Amino acid sequence: TGNANELLSTLQSARMEAVRRNARVVFCRNDAPDTGNTCNTGAGAWQGWMSFVDDGTGGGTARDGVRNGAEAVLYAGTFTAPAQLQASPAISGGSQRILFSPDGLAYSNANALLRARFAFCIPTTSPPENTRFITILAGSQMVITRVNGGGACAAPANP
């Protein structure tokens, strides 16, 4: 639950910063947020995440979805095993990133309004509700729900 709450908080903060700064903010997979400031586009479970302002500061390229130049990292998060984080196809098929525009809406890497889901889970049957879905709905509303994953940690479907 704590990991899911932290992820939701980071997503909401990225959304608010996009509006506040009137700039695009990228939330992406980063499997080594303590040592690296780049997004990981690989398949599979995430080990961490980060958000950054994609505004071209310090010689970077604005709105390219890649942290470059001196673009500000807003937040980086990680968690420890046995917790696992999986993304739905709307995120994993979109280079493992979410783009928050200055209007506060979440977009896919293909610039389509995003409806997606993350699943945080621990592979156990006790408790039976071993998974927390973090769902991004129309209008970029975000909610957490408890789910019985049957002891498995599968990638979730899009909502």
Side-chain angles (χ1 to χ4, degrees):
T1 299
N3 289 327
N5 288 338
E6 183 179 1
L7 176 62
L8 178 63
S9 176
T10 302
L11 288 166
Q12 290 172 332
S13 294
R15 180 181 181 197
M16 288 185 296
E17 284 296 316
V19 172
R20 187 178 79 77
R21 293 173 184 248
N22 194 31
R24 183 160 78 171
V25 172
V26 176
F27 173 89
C28 65
R29 175 181 176 171
N30 181 333
D31 291 337
D34 295 334
T35 59
N37 290 320
T38 59
C39 297
N40 179 340
T41 59
W46 293 30
Q47 296 175 357
W49 61 82
M50 74 173 193
S51 61
F52 65 92
V53 182
D54 192 12
D55 62 358
T57 299
T61 303
R63 302 183 56 80
D64 65 349
V66 177
R67 183 180 179 275
N68 46 38
E71 293 175 329
V73 173
L74 301 171
Y75 187 80
T78 189
F79 53 92
T80 56
Q84 296 180 22
L85 178 61
Q86 301 272 356
S88 71
I91 299 167
S92 63
S95 298
Q96 306 283 11
R97 67 192 56 186
I98 298 170
L99 311 172
F100 288 99
S101 68
D103 63 8
L105 297 177
Y107 291 87
S108 70
N109 205 43
N111 288 319
L113 280 174
L114 188 67
R115 290 180 55 91
R117 181 174 285 147
F118 287 100
F120 241 124
C121 92
I122 296 176
T124 183
T125 56
S126 179
E129 292 180 331
N130 67 318
T131 302
R132 301 294 182 269
F133 279 169
I134 299 93
T135 305
I136 303 170
L137 300 167
S140 301
Q141 177 186 11
M142 296 175 235
V143 296
I144 295 178
T145 52
R146 293 179 181 185
V147 178
N148 182 338
C153 291
N158 292 324

